[in-house]
């Protein structure tokens, strides 16, 4: 051979020297099996030559598989091949039969034209890992990979002849390690290949919404065993991920075009792109004007739903949702997750918060994810962060599937421990009993979720508002806004139409709920003024939930306990169930009550235990501080005008209740203090004297309330009324007869009713004007925010 050549071997620590100059040497760096993320992905067969079946369309993507007599041959010196690729494929086929993996180790190039004229193929365990490599020595390795190289000498060297054919110039057969058995050889790096038919099947099943695990099960069944499939679940997962990423490249541009059009149609439409909009590799976020408006009304609790970013879904989008005054899910914005690093989530949350005028929510619910948790701690330091309990339950079924199968009672016990415990001590005791009973004390995943229990177990979260009507029921807002519209097979081109259809449907449901609330009177189940008051303030659905609690008080008894002079503690329990009691602390003077169940703090509605205490203490109406505006009919109004029926009458009942409870509270002090006969006599005399003064009080006052009309004192069997205005008869001191007085009262009543009707019209007009002003103010605020964001992007 006339070509001048250079020999070079890059086996790390594995022998092989260097001869001559190395100006033209190409180095192909080998990588450990464990270091490989993506498996080689191969395409369909296209032809054959000289006993070699060629797979692929040419170039470096081709794979050559030997057929016929070559399948059983062992390499030997002098053996010829039509090409370098044929030699490589033969050695790899031989390695599959024997039980080892191969890779390219060294090359020799021609000085004349730079063409490769010699190759060495080696066992993947050739050489040793260089632990002082520059890429690793300057940084800490969090998860060190297994050492796989053991200095194996097995190899095959081939040289190109003048004829263009390749001949074996060296073959080392012996290995210094155990070989892999046939049923495991498909796990080796060089033998993991996804064929064309397998790709087609994966694409079809992925489009149908199946995940990698189910697809692999189908492939194993189709091919008759995992060893015949030819690749692993990791390869399948990576192939699906790469497919998804390739489709996303076109989807991103489609998404940006859609968002630009939406903003052109409405300047209050908000969207932002992380990084360069023309070459976006970061996340995208958007919120329409209605979403931003909804947040101003119901932004106290937020759910960030990342369900759709899993491999099962083709759309990595995540909606921000909440709960409106009908208990329905409401949208606060959407994100398209391209980059899921911590920095990207920090950018996402900050940008979304900016779009929501910088108002932080009271609470936020997300999936159990360490990266999201870290980002939320940075952006929402004062917001209570909760992990979605139902996602944890779902994950539990996967991680503890063996326990579910072996112990049918485990699921019920787990649910009882998490959802039905009433105190932290009870939960801790129940959890320890659970893990011991099912021998799970050392289960790694279970220990992980237990360490995060303060962020998902209800008993730790009841002191924070999450707008949920029940601790044991799933929130409608979590993973439900797009349910029925977006599924695993939805692509982006379909998503836009389905997204708009979901918005339209949700808006229609809210309008329907508004109509039903305003035009259908709920059926009252008690004569309680409190129930009537609530029916006129709350929306229909929220009132029905409150009504459940109010009616539930009929089965509860409230027993007075400690009284420190300001706060009285009541023990509330179902009749005959004193062992399962709740404790309500009541401040009579301030009309403040707190219950050990903490339902009001968690849901914003009073529980039956507090309502039972209100019943025995004659609190006839709901104090205003227990009526959350976000649950009322006027939730979207900037001004809370009282309803007509709860105007004077409600104020009268509230003032009457406060007076009654205050006097009752003070009177009990006499009872508690009268422990001896002397103090008893003093207290009794004082009460008798006070009773006389109370009996004479109406006569000295000169006025009393009778059927809603103010009348003077009764004297000599005739009623008299004195007018302060000189325009009325009687101002000159003349006394009216009873008939004249009744006539005058009727006239004044008619005038009052007429004035009331005018006031109603004025009030309705005023409310409309105030709403318009509020809407205009919010639109201006959104415009200002958009201008600020635009100026920031420009800088």
């Amino acid at each position: 051979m006339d070509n001048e050549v250079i020999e070079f071997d890059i086996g790390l620590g594995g022998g092989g020297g260097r001869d001559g100059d190395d100006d033209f040497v190409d180095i192909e760096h080998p990588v450990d099996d464990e270091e490989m993320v993506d498996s080689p992905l191969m395409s369909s067969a296209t032809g054959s030559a000289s006993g070699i079946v060629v797979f692929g369309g040419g170039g470096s993507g081709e794979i050559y598989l030997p057929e016929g007599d070559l399948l059983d041959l062992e390499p030997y010196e002098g053996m010829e091949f039509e090409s370098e690729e044929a030699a490589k494929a033969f050695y790899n086929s031989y390695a599959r039969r024997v039980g080892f993996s191969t890779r390219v180790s060294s090359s020799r190039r021609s000085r004349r034209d730079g063409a490769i004229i010699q190759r060495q193929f080696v066992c993947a365990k050739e050489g040793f890992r260089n632990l002082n490599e520059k890429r690793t020595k300057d940084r800490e390795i969090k998860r060190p990979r297994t050492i796989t190289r053991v200095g194996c000498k097995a190899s095959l060297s081939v040289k190109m002849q003048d004829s263009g054919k390749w001949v074996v110039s060296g073959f080392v057969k012996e290995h210094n390690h155990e070989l892999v058995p046939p049923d495991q050889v498909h796990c080796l790096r060089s033998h993991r290949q996804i064929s064309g038919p397998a790709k087609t099947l994966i694409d079809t099943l992925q489009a149908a919404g199946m995940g990698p695990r189910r697809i692999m099960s189908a492939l194993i069944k189709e091919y008759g065993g995992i060893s015949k499939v030819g690749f692993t679940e990791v390869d399948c997962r990576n192939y699906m991920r790469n497919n998804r990423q390739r489709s996303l490249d076109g989807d991103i541009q489609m998404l940006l075009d859609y968002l630009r059009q939406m903003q052109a149609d409405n300047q209050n439409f908000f969207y932002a792109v992380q990084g360069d909009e023309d070459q976006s590799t970061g996340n995208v976020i958007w919120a329409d004007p209605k979403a931003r408006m909804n947040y101003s009304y119901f932004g106290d609790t937020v759910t960030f739903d990342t369900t759709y970013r899993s491999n099962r879904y083709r759309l990595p989008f995540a909606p921000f949702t909440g709960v409106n005054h009908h208990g329905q899910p409401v949208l606060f914005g959407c994100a398209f997750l391209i980059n899921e690093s911590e920095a990207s989530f920090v950018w996402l949350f900050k940008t979304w918060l900016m779009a929501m005028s910088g108002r932080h929510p009271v609470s936020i619910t997300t999936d159990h994810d360490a990266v999201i948790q870290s980002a939320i701690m940075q952006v929402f330091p004062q917001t209570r962060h909760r992990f979605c309990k139902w996602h944890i339950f779902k994950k539990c079924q996967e991680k503890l599937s063996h326990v579910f199968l072996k112990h049918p009672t485990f699921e019920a016990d787990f649910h009882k421990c998490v959802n039905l415990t009433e105190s932290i001590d009870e939960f801790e005791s129940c959890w320890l009993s659970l893990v011991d009973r099912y021998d799970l004390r050392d289960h790694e995943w279970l220990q992980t979720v237990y360490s995060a229990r303060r962020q998902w177990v209800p008993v730790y979260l009841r002191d924070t508002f999450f707008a949920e009507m029940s601790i044991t029921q799933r929130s409608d807002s979590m993973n439900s806004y797009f349910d029925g519209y977006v599924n695993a097979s939805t692509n982006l081109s379909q998503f836009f139409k389905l997204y708009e259809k979901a918005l339209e449907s949700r808006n229609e449901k809210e309008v329907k709920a508004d109509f039903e609330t305003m035009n259908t009177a709920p059926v009252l189940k008690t004569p309680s003024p409190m129930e009537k008051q609530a029916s006129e303030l709350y929306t229909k659905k929220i009132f029905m939930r409150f009504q459940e609690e109010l009616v539930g008080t009929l089965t509860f008894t409230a027993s007075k306990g400690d009284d420190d002079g300001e706060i009285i503690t009541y023990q509330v329990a179902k009749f005959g169930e004193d062992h399962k009691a709740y404790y309500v602390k009541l401040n009579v003077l301030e009309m403040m009550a707190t219950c050990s169940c903490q339902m009001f703090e968690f849901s914003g509605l009073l529980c039956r235990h507090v309502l039972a205490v209100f019943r025995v203490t004659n609190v006839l109406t709901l104090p205003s501080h227990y009526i959350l505006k976000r649950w009322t009919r006027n939730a979207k109004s900037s001004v809370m005008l009282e309803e007509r029926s709860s105007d004077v009458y409600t104020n009268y009942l509230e003032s009457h209740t406060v007076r009654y409870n205050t006097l009752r509270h003070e009177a009990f002090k006499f009872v508690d203090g009268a422990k001896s006969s002397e103090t008893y006599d003093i207290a009794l005399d004082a009460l008798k004297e006070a009773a006389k003064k109370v009996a004479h009080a109406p006569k000295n006052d000169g006025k009393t309330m009778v059927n809603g009309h103010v009348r003077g004192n009764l004297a000599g069997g005739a009623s008299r009324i004195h007018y302060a205005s000189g325009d009325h008869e009687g101002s000159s001191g003349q006394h009216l007869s009873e008939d004249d007085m009744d006539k005058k009262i009727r006239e004044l009543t008619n005038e009052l009713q007429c004035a009331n009707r005018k006031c109603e019209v004025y009030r309705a007009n005023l409310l409309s004007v105030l709403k318009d002003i509020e809407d205009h103010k919010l639109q201006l605020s959104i415009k200002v925010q958009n201008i600020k964001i635009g100026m920031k992007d420009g800088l």
Side-chain angles (χ1 to χ4, degrees), residues 100-337:
F100 67 96
S101 182
T102 66
R103 58 182 171 82
V104 178
S105 176
S106 63
S107 306
R108 299 175 65 193
R109 289 182 177 273
S110 166
R111 182 182 295 274
R112 185 172 57 194
D113 57 11
I116 294 175
I117 58 174
Q118 183 171 340
R119 285 281 199 190
Q120 184 182 35
F121 309 110
V122 298
C123 172
K125 292 182 178 289
E126 179 267 350
F128 298 95
R129 178 181 298 176
N130 185 353
L131 298 180
N132 293 320
E133 290 184 66
K134 184 177 180 181
R135 64 190 179 99
T136 59
K137 69 178 182 179
D138 294 331
R139 61 184 177 89
E140 179 183 358
I141 300 176
K142 294 182 179 180
R143 292 185 299 170
R145 293 186 173 91
T146 304
I147 300 294
T148 59
R149 305 223 186 147
V150 294
C152 182
K153 302 291 186 180
S155 65
L156 178 76
S157 299
V158 292
K159 291 183 178 181
M160 186 174 71
Q161 304 295 315
D162 291 338
S163 62
K165 291 187 177 182
W166 291 70
V167 63
V168 174
S169 59
F171 171 60
V172 178
K173 178 180 178 180
E174 293 75 18
H175 296 262
N176 65 349
H177 55 88
E178 292 185 3
L179 301 175
V180 175
D183 62 340
Q184 297 177 16
V185 74
H186 68 278
C187 297
L188 295 175
R189 166 67 183 170
S190 67
H191 307 309
R192 285 156 50 186
Q193 302 166 358
I194 301 182
S195 65
K199 286 182 181 181
T200 302
L201 183 56
I202 293 174
D203 292 343
T204 302
L205 297 179
Q206 184 180 13
M210 291 178 63
R213 186 170 299 175
R214 293 179 61 193
I215 290 177
M216 279 302 296
S217 297
L219 287 167
I220 291 170
K221 186 175 181 180
E222 176 72 18
Y223 285 89
I226 182 66
S227 61
K228 295 181 180 179
V229 172
F231 52 90
T232 66
E233 184 179 327
V234 173
D235 301 322
C236 179
R237 190 180 302 273
N238 289 335
Y239 174 77
M240 293 173 65
R241 184 199 64 199
N242 292 338
N243 265 357
R244 188 181 180 201
Q245 188 61 47
R246 281 192 294 270
S247 66
L248 280 181
D249 293 339
D251 287 349
I252 294 172
Q253 190 57 48
M254 191 186 305
L255 173 66
L256 293 178
D257 291 342
Y258 174 81
L259 297 179
R260 291 188 190 103
Q261 183 59 48
M262 293 296 289
Q263 191 177 67
D265 295 341
N266 190 327
Q267 292 185 352
N268 292 325
F269 186 92
F270 173 91
Y271 82 96
V273 182
Q274 184 181 12
D276 185 1
E277 185 170 332
D278 294 329
Q279 295 180 339
S280 174
T281 57
N283 296 323
V284 182
I285 185 172
W286 71 92
D288 61 31
K290 184 173 179 60
R292 302 172 77 179
M293 188 80 74
N294 282 333
Y295 185 79
S296 68
Y297 302 133
F298 310 114
D300 40 18
T301 184
V302 175
T303 293
F304 180 59
D305 181 10
T306 54
T307 302
Y308 302 101
R309 68 175 175 155
S310 66
N311 271 331
R312 179 169 173 258
Y313 293 90
R314 301 177 68 183
L315 284 174
F317 88 100
F320 290 89
T321 61
V323 182
N324 70 6
H325 52 325
H326 299 292
Q328 300 169 333
V330 62
L331 191 64
F332 296 148
C334 280
F336 206 68
L337 304 176

Side-chain angles (χ1 to χ4, degrees), residues 6 70 88 101 125 135 141 176 241 248 284 320 326 406 495 543 556 588 635 653 748 780:
I6 302 135
L70 292 178
K88 178 182 177 182
S101 182
K125 292 182 178 289
R135 64 190 179 99
I141 300 176
N176 65 349
R241 184 199 64 199
L248 280 181
V284 182
F320 290 89
H326 299 292
K406 186 177 180 181
F495 171 74
F543 167 71
F556 279 78
V588 178
L653 289 176
L748 292 173
L780 289 176

Side-chain angles (χ1 to χ4, degrees), residues 459-472:
V459 75
Y460 289 98
L461 298 162
R462 290 173 179 166
D463 60 345
T464 304
F465 182 74
F466 284 97
E468 292 184 17
M469 296 296 102
S470 171
I471 288 175
T472 58

Side-chain angles (χ1 to χ4, degrees), residues 477-621:
S477 67
M478 191 61 180
N479 189 27
S480 67
Y481 192 91
F482 291 98
D483 279 2
Y485 298 95
V486 175
N487 56 47
S489 61
T490 303
N491 57 41
L492 192 63
S493 60
Q494 298 169 328
F495 171 74
F496 297 133
K497 293 180 181 178
L498 295 173
Y499 166 81
E500 292 176 353
K501 190 174 181 180
L503 292 184
E504 183 179 347
S505 175
R506 294 297 180 185
N507 292 338
E508 184 178 342
K509 288 181 180 179
E510 182 177 340
V511 170
K512 183 179 179 181
D514 283 335
F515 178 82
E516 291 179 351
T517 294
M518 301 304 294
N519 294 278
T520 57
V523 177
L524 303 183
K525 298 182 179 180
T526 73
S528 167
M530 186 180 292
E531 185 183 17
K532 187 174 188 299
Q533 174 200 19
S535 71
E536 295 167 347
L537 291 175
Y538 289 134
T539 60
K540 184 178 180 180
K541 181 175 180 179
I542 302 305
F543 167 71
M544 292 175 66
R545 183 65 185 88
F546 172 82
Q547 191 178 53
E548 288 180 21
E549 294 300 311
L550 186 65
V551 173
T553 64
L554 300 177
T555 62
F556 279 78
T557 59
S559 306
K560 184 180 177 184
D562 297 335
D563 183 355
D564 62 5
E566 291 185 7
I567 297 176
I568 305 174
T569 301
Y570 289 86
Q571 180 176 315
V572 183
K574 277 189 175 181
F575 182 77
E577 297 183 9
D578 292 342
H579 62 285
K580 190 177 180 181
Y582 298 86
Y583 295 91
V584 176
K585 294 184 178 181
L586 175 66
N587 186 321
V588 178
L589 299 180
E590 298 182 4
M591 294 299 294
M592 297 289 292
T594 57
C595 180
S596 57
C597 79
Q598 296 182 304
M599 178 176 165
F600 180 77
E601 291 82 353
F602 188 75
S603 68
L605 287 177
L606 281 177
C607 62
R608 59 192 63 190
H609 318 118
V610 170
L611 295 175
V613 171
F614 280 177
R615 189 187 72 237
V616 301
T617 54
N618 292 312
V619 178
L620 302 179
T621 60

